[in-house]
Structure formats: C-alpha cells, structure tokens
C-alpha cells in the first residue's frame, strides 16, 4: 500500500487485505505475505544470515539458566529480595519495564554489558501507547482521523521520544476489535471494524518500527492482546471471551494478521480465557495460528503476571505447570512474575519442556535485540534525549493530530465555527481546565505541566478580543480508585460540602448567562477509561448531565465538547445542544487544537470508528450485522425505544459541505485475480476548505454463509478547497471479498452477486452491483 502524508490518501493495493485468498474453486487459505514477498520490516538476506549466525553462536555458549533469564522481564518499581543489579549479574533478567530515566537505563545497561559473562544487553520496554513525553490523541481518536498516514506519523514521533531515553520496545499498538463501549480499553484500539483496524494496525507498526526493525529513532512494536480481549463478556475487563470461529477469523484476528504482515517484531498474549482456554497458554493461538499459519518469527511476551495466573484461571495446578503450559504453548517471555525463573529449569531437566523449545524462545528474543542494534549501541544519548523530549516539532505534530482526530457530531444553524461577533464566552465543565484529563489514560510518561487545556487554548486564542468566563461547575471522580492513580492521577474533588458544590454549580450557570456562547467541556476523567476502567452505564459521570441541561435552559447557545475514551450517552444532547464536538482525549496540545477547531482555523474532518449507541441497552451495536428477519425494520427491534444508532459508523460533519455525483464502476464482473474501480465526483459546495472521507462498502448476496449487510473495503481522506470538485476512485480487488466460512472451514472468495456502496459513512447511498465469476 501507499501512504501519502501530503495528499492524506490511503490507497489499498493488491497486498492490502489482511489475508491472501483464492476462489472457492481453488485452494484457499491465509497465506503469509511475509513468506510470499518479504515483510515490510525485513532486513537484507545477508544481514539476516549474519544475525542468525551471531545469535546461534551466542546461544551455544549460554547455560540453561542464562537462557531462562532472557525470557524473564522485571518491573523496575517492584520490590525484590535480590537487587536489580544482582539479577542482571546472575543472568536472571533480559528486560525491564517502567523505567524512563536515561541515566538509570544506561547504568543498568552497563551492568549487563560490562559485568556479565556473555555481555548480553537488556531491552527496556514501556507503554508508549499514544506518545511518551509529548502525548498525542488516544488510539481511538487516531482511528477517527481515518488517516493511516497520520497514525503512522504519530507513532513515529512517539518512537523518537522514547528511543531517545533508551526505551527500545513499546507495548503497542493494541489492535483488539471492540464493539462494547462499556469496556474501558476501547480507547486503546481502532474501534469496531476489522478493515479499519487492520489498516491502523499496519500503520502504527510501521510508525513505531520504521522501514526495518533497528531503524534509527524507532523502536520495536508489540501488537496486543492476542486474541479476542476486546470481546470480554459484559465489557468487563479481564472477563472471558467466547467467540465463534466465524467471528474469530473474520472479525478479531484480521488486525493481528495485518500487523504480522507489516513486520511486527513482538506480540503480547491476552489476559483472558478465549473459548475456555487462557490466551497465555493457548497453543491454538500461539502456535497453530501465529507461527504455523502466519509464519510469525518474532517473540511473544505475556501480559502482566498472566503466566502465574494460569493457576488462578483453574488451568494450571501450580507454578511449574503454568510455566510448562505457557512455554509449550508458544509463550517466549514472562512479563513480571518469577514463574519462568523459578520453575523452567527444573521442568527442562525433568523432561516436561524440551531445551530446544527454550532455545527457540531465546533465539527469537536475541534476534530482535540484534536487529535493534543493542549489541553494538545499547546506550542512550543524554544530549539527544534533551533535544527530543517535548520539542517544538513534537508539539506541532501533536496539535495537528488532535485537529485531524476530532469528530463534529452536530452543528445546527452553523453555530460553529464561532462568529467573530462573539464578545464573550463561558468555558464550563470539570474537564475544561484539567491537564491530565486533556492528555488521557496511558499518559504515564507525560508531564501534565506541558498540556494545554481547553480553557488555556481558548484564552490564548481569544483572550485579547473576547472575554472568557470560566467555572468548572461540577466535579467528577471514580467510585473505585484506578490502579494507575499513583502514577498518573486526575484532579481530586476539593468541594467538601453540598453548599460548596451547589455554589459552584450556580456560579457556572451565572457565567453562562453573562456570556454570548457557552462551551461546556464534559466527559470522563482520564482514569475512567483504560485498563480496569469498565463501566456498567455510559451516562455522563456525576452531575454533568444536570449542568448541561441547566446551561441549555438559559437560552444561550451551547457547544458541547467531549473529552472521553468511549461513546457516551448523549442522546439528550443530540436533540437539545446545537453543536457537539467529539475531541476524545486529545493529548498535550489538545487545548490549542480544540481552540483552532472551535474558531475555524482548523476544520473538523474526523469520522467515527464506532457505531454510537443511543443507550447502553443497545450494546453490542455495530454496523456490520448480518441480515436476519425483517431487515428493513431495524428500528423496531425494541418496543420501548429505537434500535437504530444515534450516529452510524463512519459518521462525521464538517464546516464544509460535500455533494457526491456521477457514481460508477468500471466493470460489472471480476475473476479470481481481478479488480474493479469505483469512482465518484466529490464537490465541496461550501466556500471554506474541508476534508471528506469517502468509504466503500460491499455485501455478498448469497453464499455458503450469511454475510454482514455491509463491510468496509476501502476508504480515502481527501482535502478540497472551497468550491473544488474532484473525481475520487477506490479500487476493490477480488481477494478483498474473501471470508472464513463456517460451512467449509476455510477462507474463500465465493462466486456470486455483490452490492457495492460508496459514500460518507456506513449508510452510504451511492450503489452498484457486480459479480464474481469462476
């Protein structure tokens, strides 16, 4: 595929689909693109041979205990009866996580390189999820840009910062498909769709790793959580996922496969049981699918203490059994815990684990260390770190990303952008001046002092000509504390009495009354999203809904700006608030980006990567459902309310307006290796420039199994000047129509008639049909 940051166009090519498939009349099945054509992150054959020889020689000189040490990772902050330095000297650790100080990283690295028998360097890992020191929009927001080139650029910039301090490995991207917004970790992925998720997975892997593993200023990516974690029952984090084979192959696995095809160097196993088997002891996932079907050659790390928790799951009967099951299933490194270190040697000596299995794990780990350049240049440059962290270039990139990720959900009577006649605005809400809550969850290495809040951004943008009146109005807090509060906390409530809280509420409404326009910044505190942050409802926490309704009742124009990591219940707002801007958690430059968006300096062009429910009772709700009984009456499935979404997948408005015409396809039939091109004229009918995302959907009318009513198969984001008209084309390849059939138990493209739509969201109206012929 081709990414253009200047044109902002994503163009699928013959190798863009997550699987390689053939017609049902021939042999069908997923084929590794890395095996066929070479990984996009592959090194030259001569370099591969050199690396293999180096690692094989090193492995031949290692003791069993030293090998197991390379398979062990230690969390820096955790207490241990033996010092970190001594663990390194004994060869009992190959990796550390949660260290960000380059001085300490270099010191520990010197212990490993200078004071151990074989001088094997450490690899330092960290959760670089959406930035390091400079925080970018959360991954769900990046998916809202519908711009893989932007996602690639963001993660490349994040890699620059992280690598400058000596971190060479990130535990990202998360590519779990998520269709339940109650699940807190929906904010870390690309939403509900496997096609969009696959394109974002590829882009982020390339962003982190560069053209090849070991590229300067880049780091090793780790795709997680393999697999099915996003389908946790009830949206409850860590709960089991029970997924049919059809859904697993067609929905949940494709983004992982796309990441493997893009050359990712490591994967992380998931916490939960998948169909009754813990993912960290699941041979089907870690060997049958990952190694044998996909040809993955990197290494797999567990999630936090998941090896020892194989016993907690009722899967293993003790630590040694857990170690045996994990390693024999295909797990290569234990994140935290000491099960491998304490139990694997005895298991090998007793014959429960072959030493060749240990060698395979260690070889994969050492190869990645070699390719990252750790054997030749393991140390961080303090001068480079000082220049890179929080640089002007980082902040500029963060602002652009936040602007491109925002989604305009409603804009009645053109309330936005704010008119130049506005003389005063009220900026109200518990998140309006909260730096951590502007940054978002998983901002652990970020500095809140760097962040620009919405209040600060608007004051800077308008303060010399417009009066800015502020009140937080209400405070919000979690009922239960977050596991990350000690590392990165949201502001705690300071209003102690009901009288104080009522006074602040009234102060906010007074500020609205004395202003021309009110900007209400509402949503969730950052610790309300992320890991162990699932919710049983989607309402605005605390008294925010009451505050919003009171502000609207004043009669003043109200703009709702949402800071959040999941769709929330804004059904009332969608009917009564004239303008709604979904900004997600926009990151360090969020306030400046939102100020630019509200004033028209930037024009919203993002689209939803999720279907937005009206209420929690609709969940799960997603656009690509199968056709069933009475398909044309989808809004009548509940007798006590609508069954249609509040906003469809792919939806988003702009200050510009676009008209589509002259839709056509260049052929009415395709063969096995064929393609068709769909084209449509797009005209910006407004005077202002803006971005539109053209989306292509298909439906297979009949076959060996029922297929979703629509499936995304292509998209492109384009920029049009005011009045500009352009013909936009998207190419669909026959193999992009393949699926895993629950009848035949294989991948295939089945001959028959297909529908094709092209338009602005998943309800696209421009329609054509075509056939796939043998």
């Amino acid at each position: 595929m081709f990414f253009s940051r200047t044109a902002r166009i994503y163009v699928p090519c013959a190798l863009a689909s997550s699987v390689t498939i053939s017609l049902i009349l021939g042999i069908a099945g997923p084929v590794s693109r890395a095996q066929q054509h070479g990984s996009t992150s592959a090194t030259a054959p001569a370099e591969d041979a050199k690396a293999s020889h180096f690692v094989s020689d090193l492995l031949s000189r290692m003791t069993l205990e030293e090998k197991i040490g390379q398979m062990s990772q230690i969390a820096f902050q955790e207490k241990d009866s033996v010092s970190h330095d001594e663990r390194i000297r004994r060869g009992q650790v190959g990796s550390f996580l949660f260290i960000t100080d380059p001085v300490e990283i270099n010191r520990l690295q010197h212990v490993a390189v200078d004071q151990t028998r074989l001088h094997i360097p450490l690899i330092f890992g960290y959760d670089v999820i959406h930035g390091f020191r400079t925080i970018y929009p959360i991954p769900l927001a990046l998916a809202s840009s519908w711009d893989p080139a932007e996602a690639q650029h963001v993660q490349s910039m994040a890699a620059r910062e992280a690598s400058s301090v000596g971190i060479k490995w990130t535990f990202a991207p998360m590519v779990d498909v998520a269709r339940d917004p109650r699940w807190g970790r929906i904010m870390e992925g690309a939403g509900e769709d496997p096609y969009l998720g696959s394109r974002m997975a590829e882009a982020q892997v390339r962003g982190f790793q560069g053209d090849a593993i070991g590229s300067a200023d880049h780091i090793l990516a780790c795709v997680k959580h393999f697999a099915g974690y996003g389908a946790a029952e009830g949206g409850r984090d860590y709960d089991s996922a029970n997924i049919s084979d059809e859904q697993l192959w067609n929905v949940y696995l494709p983004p992982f496969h796309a990441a493997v095809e893009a050359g990712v160097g490591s994967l992380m196993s998931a916490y939960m049981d998948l169909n009754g088997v813990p993912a960290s002891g699941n041979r089907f996932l870690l060997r049958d699918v990952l190694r044998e079907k996909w040809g993955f050659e990197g290494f797999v790390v567990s999630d936090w203490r998941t090896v020892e928790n194989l016993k907690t799951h009722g899967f293993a009967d003790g630590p040694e059994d857990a170690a045996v099951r994990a390693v024999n299933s295909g797990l290569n490194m234990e994140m935290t815990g000491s099960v491998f270190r304490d139990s694997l040697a005895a298991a090998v000596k007793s014959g429960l684990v072959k030493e060749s299995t240990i060698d395979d794990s260690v070889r994969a780990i050492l190869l990645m260390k070699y390719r990252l350049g750790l054997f030749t240049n393991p140390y961080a440059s303090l001068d480079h770190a000082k220049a890179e962290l929080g640089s002007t270039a980082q902040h500029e990139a963060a602002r652009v990303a936040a602007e491109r990720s925002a989604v305009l959900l409603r804009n009645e009577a053109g309330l936005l952008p704010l008119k130049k006649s506005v003389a005063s605005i009220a900026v109200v809400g518990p998140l309006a001046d909260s730096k951590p809550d502007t940054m978002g969850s998983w901002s652990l290495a970020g500095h809140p002092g760097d962040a620009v809040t919405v209040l600060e951004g608007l004051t800077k943008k308008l303060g010399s000509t417009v009066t800015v009146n502020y009140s937080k109005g209400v405070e919000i807090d979690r009922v239960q504390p977050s596991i990350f509060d000690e590392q990165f906390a949201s502001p705690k409530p300071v209003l102690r009495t009901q009288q104080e809280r009522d006074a602040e509420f009234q102060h906010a409404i007074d500020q609205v009354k004395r202003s021309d326009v009110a900007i209400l910044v509402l949503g969730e505190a950052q610790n309300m999203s992320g890991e162990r942050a699932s919710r049983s409802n989607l309402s605005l926490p605390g008294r925010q809904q009451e505050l919003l309704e009171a502000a609207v009742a004043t009669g003043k124009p109200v703009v709702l700006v949402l800071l959040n990591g999941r769709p929330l219940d804004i059904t009332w707002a969608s009917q009564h608030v004239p303008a709604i801007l979904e900004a997600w958690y926009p990151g360090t430059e969020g306030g400046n980006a939102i100020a630019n968006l509200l004033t028209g300096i930037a024009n919203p062009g993002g689209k939803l990567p999720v279907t937005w429910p009206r209420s929690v009772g609709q969940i799960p709700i997603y656009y690509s459902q199968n056709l069933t009984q009475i398909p044309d009456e989808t809004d009548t499935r509940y007798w006590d309310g609508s069954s249609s979404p509040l906003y469809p997948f792919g939806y988003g408005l702009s200050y510009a307006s676009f008209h589509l015409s002259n839709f056509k396809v260049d052929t009415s039939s395709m063969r096995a290796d064929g393609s068709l091109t769909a084209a449509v004229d797009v005209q910006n009918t407004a005077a202002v420039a803006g971005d539109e995302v053209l989306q292509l959907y298909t439906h297979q009318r009949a076959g060996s199994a029922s297929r979703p009513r629509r499936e995304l198969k292509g998209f492109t984001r384009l920029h049009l000047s005011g009045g500009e008209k352009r013909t936009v084309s998207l190419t669909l390849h026959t193999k992009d129509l393949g699926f895993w059939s629950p009848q035949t138990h294989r991948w295939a493209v089945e001959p028959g008639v297909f529908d094709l739509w092209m338009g602005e969201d998943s309800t696209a109206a421009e329609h054509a049909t075509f056939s796939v012929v043998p």
Side-chain angles (χ1 to χ4, degrees):
M1 70 199 45
F2 170 73
F3 289 114
S4 169
R5 275 187 51 76
T6 54
R8 300 289 179 177
I9 292 176
Y10 168 79
V11 183
C13 70
L15 300 178
S17 106
S18 60
V19 293
T20 302
I21 46 187
S22 63
L23 283 173
I24 197 168
L25 302 178
I27 297 173
V31 179
S32 169
R33 194 161 72 238
Q35 293 172 326
Q36 291 183 326
H37 304 281
S39 165
T40 56
S41 292
T43 52
E47 183 62 25
D48 283 343
K50 181 179 178 182
S52 180
H53 176 77
F54 177 89
V55 169
S56 293
D57 176 69
L58 181 58
L59 194 58
S60 70
R61 293 183 283 123
M62 296 175 70
T63 66
L64 177 60
E65 287 70 21
E66 287 170 332
K67 294 173 184 178
I68 294 170
Q70 289 299 307
M71 299 168 65
S72 301
Q73 183 184 66
I74 292 176
F76 182 71
Q77 78 277 21
E78 291 214 326
K79 295 181 180 179
D80 191 349
S81 59
V82 178
S83 71
H84 295 330
D85 289 28
E86 187 58 27
R87 289 283 186 209
I88 297 170
R89 293 189 191 100
R90 294 179 184 179
Q92 294 178 333
V93 57
S95 175
F96 282 91
L97 74 161
F98 286 142
I99 316 177
T100 60
D101 178 7
V103 174
E104 180 64 9
I105 286 175
N106 282 349
R107 190 191 71 77
L108 291 172
Q109 196 70 278
H110 272 292
V111 175
V113 173
D114 301 338
Q115 301 178 33
T116 62
R117 188 175 71 89
L118 294 176
H119 318 291
I120 300 174
L122 301 162
I123 182 170
F124 293 90
Y126 199 79
D127 288 286
V128 186
I129 307 301
H130 55 111
F132 184 67
R133 167 69 179 268
T134 305
I135 303 302
Y136 288 79
I138 60 172
L140 189 64
L142 291 178
S144 299
S145 74
W146 286 63
D147 186 353
E150 181 64 42
Q152 179 172 334
H153 182 60
V154 162
Q155 301 301 25
S156 177
M157 295 296 287
R160 280 172 53 177
E161 281 196 329
S163 64
S164 75
V165 304
I167 291 169
K168 294 297 183 180
W169 184 23
T170 177
F171 307 118
M174 191 197 89
V175 302
D176 296 296
V177 170
R179 293 175 166 180
D180 190 334
R182 294 172 299 181
W183 188 53
R185 302 193 78 167
I186 191 174
M187 55 83 65
E188 292 179 54
E192 73 180 52
D193 185 70
Y195 185 89
L196 178 61
S198 295
R199 306 293 78 83
M200 289 296 169
E202 297 163 343
Q204 291 182 83
V205 167
R206 294 189 177 100
F208 283 127
Q209 295 186 171
D211 294 333
I213 293 172
S215 296
D217 299 323
H218 287 78
I219 58 182
L220 190 70
C222 182
V223 167
K224 63 184 185 184
H225 307 82
F226 196 60
Y229 186 39
E233 292 177 340
R236 297 180 298 272
D237 207 3
Y238 312 144
D239 268 15
S240 298
N242 291 289
I243 305 172
S244 70
D245 288 348
E246 188 273 332
Q247 288 282 290
L248 185 65
W249 285 107
N250 292 321
V251 176
Y252 292 94
L253 289 181
F256 288 97
H257 190 212
V260 170
E261 295 292 85
V264 70
S266 66
L267 269 80
M268 183 186 295
S269 61
Y271 281 115
M272 80 301 148
D273 285 3
L274 174 64
N275 298 333
V277 181
S280 294
N282 195 313
R283 185 182 181 90
F284 166 75
L285 286 176
L286 301 182
R287 289 201 183 275
D288 297 352
V289 175
L290 186 59
R291 301 286 185 185
E292 296 179 15
K293 282 189 176 293
W294 295 351
F296 176 66
E297 296 179 350
F299 69 91
V300 179
V301 64
S302 76
D303 209 331
W304 187 277
R305 295 190 179 277
T306 58
V307 175
E308 66 185 64
N309 280 320
L310 292 179
K311 181 180 185 299
T312 306
H313 284 241
F315 183 69
D317 65 12
E320 181 176 304
D321 189 37
V324 169
R325 287 173 179 251
V327 169
N328 285 341
S329 295
L331 195 71
N332 308 125
M333 182 185 288
E334 180 185 13
M335 177 186 285
T336 68
S338 61
V339 176
F340 279 8
R341 187 175 69 226
D342 296 340
S343 303
L344 268 184
V348 172
K349 292 170 184 176
S350 65
L352 295 173
V353 176
K354 295 179 180 179
E355 188 160 0
S356 61
T357 301
I358 301 296
D359 289 349
D360 289 343
S361 290
V362 178
R363 181 178 289 106
I365 294 166
L366 293 178
L367 275 170
M368 287 304 155
K369 289 187 176 184
Y370 183 92
R371 293 177 66 183
L372 287 167
L374 289 170
F375 283 95
T376 56
N377 185 24
Y379 305 112
S381 166
L382 301 186
D383 289 339
H384 180 49
K386 183 178 179 181
E388 187 62 51
L389 296 175
S391 68
T392 300
Q394 291 283 348
H395 279 254
E396 173 67 12
R399 179 187 58 77
V400 171
E403 290 171 356
R404 295 185 66 76
S405 299
V407 183
L408 184 63
L409 297 177
R410 183 172 164 89
N411 193 25
E412 296 300 299
L415 178 57
L416 293 177
L418 296 173
K419 306 300 184 287
K420 295 187 181 299
S421 59
V422 172
S424 60
I425 63 171
V427 180
V428 171
L431 309 180
D433 197 33
S434 173
K435 291 177 180 290
D437 298 323
T438 303
M439 298 163 71
S441 181
W442 289 113
S443 300
L444 302 180
H447 289 199
D450 296 343
V452 180
T453 67
V454 177
L455 175 64
E456 290 172 334
L458 284 169
T459 300
K460 178 182 177 182
K461 185 69 61 181
L462 302 173
S464 60
T465 57
V466 176
T467 299
V468 179
N469 302 309
Y470 166 70
S471 171
K472 62 182 174 182
V474 299
E475 296 175 324
I476 58 175
D477 196 14
R478 280 180 53 140
V479 175
Q480 303 170 353
S482 166
I483 59 173
F484 297 107
D485 280 347
E486 291 185 6
Q487 296 170 273
F488 191 80
S490 292
K492 291 294 182 182
V494 297
L495 302 173
R496 300 303 180 190
T497 68
Q498 189 60 45
Q499 184 178 13
E500 290 176 330
R501 290 189 284 270
D502 289 344
E504 179 63 26
F505 188 101
Q506 187 58 49
H507 176 58
I509 301 306
D510 290 342
Q511 297 287 51
V512 172
K513 290 178 178 178
R514 66 170 56 102
S515 304
D516 293 338
V517 177
I519 313 294
L520 267 71
V521 187
L522 309 179
E524 298 176 306
Q526 58 82 25
N527 64 359
M528 295 176 178
S529 282
E531 185 170 350
R532 209 182 297 184
S534 297
R535 297 186 61 187
S536 61
N537 68 76
L538 301 176
S539 61
L540 291 167
R543 297 177 67 191
Q544 291 183 98
Q545 181 68 32
E546 183 183 352
L547 180 68
L548 178 62
E549 294 184 17
V552 170
T554 66
K556 294 298 180 76
V558 173
V559 176
L560 172 60
V561 175
L562 292 170
L563 302 186
N564 50 302
R566 54 162 64 86
L568 298 173
D569 185 349
I570 55 168
T571 301
W572 185 91
S574 72
Q575 300 166 355
H576 298 91
V577 178
I580 304 174
L581 180 70
E582 173 56 88
W584 309 107
Y585 295 119
T588 297
E589 283 288 314
N592 287 331
I594 291 170
N596 286 347
L597 290 161
L598 295 180
T599 58
I601 294 173
N603 190 344
K607 301 281 188 173
L608 292 176
V610 290
T611 300
W612 198 291
R614 296 177 183 272
S615 68
V616 73
Q618 292 181 310
I619 296 169
I621 183 170
Y622 49 93
Y623 83 94
S624 57
Q625 294 172 324
N626 285 7
L627 292 169
T628 57
Q629 295 292 97
I630 55 171
D632 297 329
E633 298 182 32
T634 56
D635 197 33
T636 63
R637 300 299 178 87
Y638 298 117
W639 65 262
D640 60 344
S642 174
S643 52
S644 65
L646 187 63
Y647 300 112
F649 174 83
Y651 172 85
L653 303 175
S654 169
Y655 300 151
S657 55
F658 302 95
H659 176 68
L660 307 185
S661 62
N662 196 29
F663 175 65
K664 57 188 177 182
V665 295
D666 65 352
T667 183
S668 61
S669 64
M670 293 193 293
R671 293 188 180 274
D673 297 322
S675 65
L676 67 76
T677 298
V680 68
D681 292 341
V682 185
Q683 183 171 11
N684 181 353
T685 59
V688 298
D691 285 15
E692 180 60 291
V693 177
L694 267 294
Q695 303 162 36
L696 186 150
Y697 297 86
T698 65
H699 168 65
Q700 179 177 324
R701 289 190 176 181
S704 64
S706 299
R707 300 300 300 138
R709 65 179 65 218
R710 294 191 183 196
E711 294 180 280
L712 181 69
K713 295 298 181 182
F715 60 88
T716 180
R717 179 165 175 163
L718 62 150
H719 181 80
L720 294 176
S721 301
E724 182 181 356
K725 184 177 182 180
R726 191 185 308 171
T727 299
V728 179
S729 300
L730 288 172
T731 299
L732 176 71
H733 297 271
T734 309
K735 64 182 182 56
D736 295 327
L737 301 171
F739 72 101
W740 189 92
S741 170
Q743 289 273 64
T744 65
H745 288 197
R746 62 172 178 162
W747 285 94
V749 175
E750 299 179 347
V753 178
F754 290 75
D755 294 291
L756 183 148
W757 296 269
M758 200 169 177
E760 299 168 312
D761 58 43
S762 58
T763 67
E766 303 291 338
H767 177 255
T769 60
F770 66 93
S771 297
V772 173
V773 297

